[in-house]
Amino acid sequence: MNHQKILVLDFGSQVTQLIARRVRECGVFCEILPCDVDPQRIKDYGASGIVLSGSHQSAYEESTDKAPALVFELGIPVLGICYGMQTMAMQLGGKVEAGTVREFGHAQIRAHGHTRLFDGLQDETNEQGHGLLNVWMSHGDKVTELPPNFKLMASTPSCPIAGMADEARGFYAVQFHPEVTHTKKGKDILARFVREICGCKGDWSMPSFVDEAVERIRAQVGTDEVILGLSGGVDSSVAAALIHKAIGDQLTCVFVDHGLLRYKEGEQVMETFAKHLGVRVVHVNATEEFMGQLKGVTDPEAKRKIIGKAFVDVFQREAGTRANARWLAQGTIYPDVIESAGAKTGKATSIKSHHNVGGLPDTLNLKLLEPLRDLFKDEVRKLGVELGLDPEMVYRHPFPGPGLGVRILGEVKAEYAEILQRADAVFIEELRNTKATAKDAAAELCTEDQVGKSWYDLTSQAFAVFLPVKSVGVMGDGRTYEYVVAIRAVQTQDFMTAHWAHLPYSLLGRVSNRIINEVKGVNRVVYDVSGKPPATIEWE
């Protein structure tokens, strides 16, 4: 793409992708490459600036990764973050040592030197009038001696060198993490680096992405036909709209009803795409096939793999009916790739597999088309609106690729799926119909400017989970022994970390009462108050 761009070199941090996300929020395109990439590729990339990510490694050990020397010879600005600061210091003549006091969590740094990176940025001042920034630290090692020509840029009581700069060469480094939301001025700091120090004008936007993506899809596909697996979720829906814009009737969407969709979702998907958008959609009812393969399976990873393979099998059969089909399109997005450790860097730790990541079997004679693979979820939503999709669909809460298969703990059965569909529908309906009140704001459940918004809009993801356990209950004058449903709602900006939503007790009470009364087979409802980490957002 003919855009100014920033390159992030990844040393293995779990939050490296957040750097790219924050840079893109500044309207500047950004990509991540492994720190040990061929230096020629870095030279050819043509970046306006480079960011060195964090890592779990120690920069003073001989075996650890280092930035290619070329990085400091290109004559462009460089920003080191955490480990990125430490390796910059070591490689340019400074010293790094193991710290006696580790810093994990909130810290307050004092700015020094009036550097361009921090100029005018502060959260508060101390008694001496020095500017202070509230930041997020995560380190045990620290820089103990500045490299030649660097000056002190920031400090904390336990980390005397928490930031350093060689402004003549445009080299800056910070020990904290500006990419995480816990660093209050983090976005401003990164914007200062990419827009002012690197000189990027911010020429990357969704309208320009649409034009470029359409051109790339047409060039890739030519006159071939494309098969797309349409799940009804945001990602596959936006992928379908984008590809349809590019190649029209060359696209055939295969909507697989595996019995693990949300309540009445099949009808909604066909209504939206086939009737209103004019997209060719083949509706395949494969409930028995999926349920049969899942019978007796309880391990979450095994279920994901079975569901993924079954999807591919269905696509392969449908593709066989299309003589000119040469491509399989998927709504894979960047967080899918990260969590499956399938990122370009290959350095992320695997959390769980995604059915649409990791390549295709040799027996599937289709090439892969993934036009959203490098986009974050918020970018996908913006793209959907740009393409003319209904905002209510685009901003719907995320739904896992394997569907309710990973929201039914243990073995998946049709009766469990029906219970869960109805319970989940009740929960979502109540969230949509309940608006935040001034009383909620007074109780600090929401902010004053959120009063009047629905709790569905105030949560990032909400759903019900079927628990394969029974509990004793009383209905009327009789004893019941029925299933338990858990409900979960989280609030997050990036889905990499999340807080459980502090929903009003009155709302939770209504949800519980309705589920127990309206969903046959349930006599107990519990609310999940776990954050991510240590839990994941989904239960499986």
Side-chain angles (χ1 to χ4, degrees):
M1 292 184 290
N2 297 319
H3 295 289
Q4 293 175 304
K5 47 190 180 288
I6 297 295
L7 177 62
V8 177
L9 293 183
D10 180 31
F11 289 88
S13 169
Q14 285 290 328
V15 292
T16 297
Q17 69 273 17
L18 294 185
I19 303 173
R21 186 174 181 273
R22 299 286 176 253
V23 172
R24 292 189 193 181
E25 287 174 355
C26 301
V28 178
F29 189 72
C30 180
E31 286 190 273
I32 300 172
L33 292 177
C35 61
D36 54 1
V37 68
D38 183 344
Q40 187 61 43
R41 189 172 179 189
I42 296 175
K43 186 175 182 180
D44 294 342
Y45 187 76
S48 297
I50 293 176
V51 180
L52 309 178
S53 84
S55 175
H56 60 281
Q57 305 174 80
S58 293
Y60 49 78
E61 294 179 356
E62 286 295 324
S63 60
T64 56
D65 291 321
K66 296 178 174 55
L70 175 72
V71 168
F72 305 110
E73 300 167 359
L74 288 173
I76 61 175
V78 181
L79 173 65
I81 295 175
C82 196
Y83 178 87
M85 168 173 164
Q86 295 167 8
T87 195
M88 179 188 288
M90 287 288 294
Q91 291 181 237
L92 298 181
K95 289 185 179 179
V96 176
E97 299 176 2
T100 56
V101 178
R102 299 188 301 172
E103 288 184 305
F104 291 96
H106 174 266
Q108 195 169 63
I109 66 165
R110 174 192 162 186
H112 296 267
H114 301 287
T115 61
R116 289 182 68 191
L117 189 65
F118 288 165
D119 187 32
L121 298 179
Q122 62 184 43
D123 292 311
E124 52 190 278
T125 57
N126 60 16
E127 295 178 354
Q128 292 75 38
H130 301 135
L132 303 175
L133 288 165
N134 295 313
V135 303
W136 191 260
M137 293 277 201
S138 181
H139 70 103
D141 301 336
K142 61 183 180 181
V143 176
T144 56
E145 184 178 315
L146 291 170
N149 302 316
F150 276 76
K151 66 179 179 180
L152 181 66
M153 186 169 65
S155 65
T156 73
S158 59
C159 185
I161 304 177
M164 62 183 194
D166 177 349
E167 295 204 279
R169 290 188 286 178
F171 295 165
Y172 298 84
V174 294
Q175 188 57 67
F176 60 89
H177 288 270
E179 69 270 32
V180 301
T181 55
H182 304 75
T183 298
K184 291 186 177 180
K185 290 288 192 296
K187 184 176 180 180
D188 295 330
I189 292 169
L190 287 171
R192 176 71 55 80
F193 177 73
V194 302
R195 296 296 291 267
E196 297 184 23
I197 294 173
C198 295
C200 294
K201 297 178 181 178
D203 60 357
W204 189 74
S205 64
M206 276 305 115
S208 65
F209 177 84
V210 171
D211 294 339
E212 292 161 359
V214 165
E215 185 177 333
R216 283 197 302 272
I217 292 168
R218 287 173 178 167
Q220 275 185 281
V221 173
T223 59
D224 295 340
E225 289 191 23
V226 177
I227 305 291
L228 180 141
L230 183 63
S231 69
V234 175
D235 304 331
S236 66
S237 296
V238 173
L242 178 61
I243 297 171
H244 186 256
K245 180 178 178 66
I247 61 174
D249 288 343
Q250 290 171 244
L251 170 68
T252 297
C253 291
V254 178
F255 175 59
V256 181
D257 188 345
H258 48 29
L260 299 170
L261 301 170
R262 286 172 281 207
Y263 188 62
K264 293 187 177 180
E265 186 163 31
E267 301 171 19
Q268 295 170 359
V269 169
M270 294 303 293
E271 180 79 16
T272 298
F273 283 89
K275 292 187 178 180
H276 296 308
L277 296 181
V279 179
R280 182 189 295 122
V281 183
V282 177
H283 188 176
V284 181
N285 189 338
T287 300
E288 291 187 6
E289 180 176 345
F290 276 79
M291 290 298 179
Q293 293 188 35
L294 289 168
K295 186 175 182 179
V297 179
T298 59
D299 179 73
E301 277 298 283
K303 289 195 291 185
R304 285 178 176 271
K305 286 180 169 55
I306 289 170
I307 292 170
K309 183 179 182 303
F311 267 115
V312 172
D313 290 343
V314 173
F315 294 149
Q316 189 169 14
R317 287 201 303 268
E318 291 302 319
T321 67
R322 312 292 303 179
N324 200 29
R326 298 289 184 272
W327 297 84
L328 171 64
Q330 295 185 151
T332 307
I333 65 172
Y334 200 42
D336 296 340
V337 178
I338 292 293
E339 290 211 341
S340 294
K344 296 173 183 176
T345 64
K347 292 181 178 293
T349 300
S350 180
I351 307 297
K352 58 189 177 185
S353 64
H354 290 262
H355 77 273
N356 56 350
V357 177
L360 299 170
D362 294 336
T363 55
L364 184 59
N365 299 313
L366 295 173
K367 293 173 284 187
L368 193 58
L369 180 64
E370 296 176 313
L372 311 181
R373 187 180 177 89
D374 290 323
L375 296 186
F376 293 99
K377 178 69 77 172
D378 58 322
E379 294 173 320
V380 173
R381 294 187 194 281
K382 291 175 183 176
L383 175 59
V385 173
E386 183 68 28
L387 290 168
L389 291 177
D390 185 346
E392 186 170 323
M393 166 183 277
V394 171
Y395 285 95
R396 199 162 53 151
H397 288 182
F399 190 62
L404 300 182
V406 291
R407 291 180 179 174
I408 298 171
L409 302 196
E411 183 180 4
V412 177
K413 296 182 180 180
E415 63 178 289
Y416 297 167
E418 184 177 355
I419 289 173
L420 183 54
Q421 285 172 334
R422 293 182 177 276
D424 186 77
V426 168
F427 186 28
I428 298 304
E429 182 180 323
E430 286 294 336
L431 287 172
R432 287 189 182 278
N433 293 342
T434 306
K435 299 186 184 301
T437 65
K439 183 178 179 181
D440 296 332
E444 298 185 349
L445 302 182
C446 67
T447 59
E448 290 186 3
D449 63 326
Q450 292 174 332
V451 171
K453 294 184 177 180
S454 77
W455 277 102
Y456 182 85
D457 292 331
L458 295 180
T459 54
S460 307
Q461 191 167 355
F463 54 91
V465 179
F466 178 86
L467 306 184
V469 295
K470 289 186 174 182
S471 69
V472 174
V474 177
M475 289 187 178
D477 294 323
R479 174 185 184 275
T480 62
Y481 188 55
E482 295 180 326
Y483 292 109
V484 181
V485 165
I487 54 176
R488 179 151 173 76
V490 299
Q491 294 170 322
T492 177
Q493 292 188 15
D494 49 41
F495 289 90
M496 301 307 297
T497 61
H499 300 285
W500 63 275
H502 294 196
L503 300 179
Y505 290 153
S506 57
L507 170 57
L508 291 172
R510 280 198 308 278
V511 171
S512 175
N513 187 63
R514 282 193 59 192
I515 290 176
I516 291 171
N517 280 286
E518 297 176 25
V519 182
K520 186 177 180 180
V522 178
N523 69 356
R524 193 178 298 270
V525 175
V526 297
Y527 187 49
D528 183 351
V529 294
S530 310
K532 176 186 181 180
T536 54
I537 294 177
E538 296 287 348
W539 278 44
E540 289 191 344

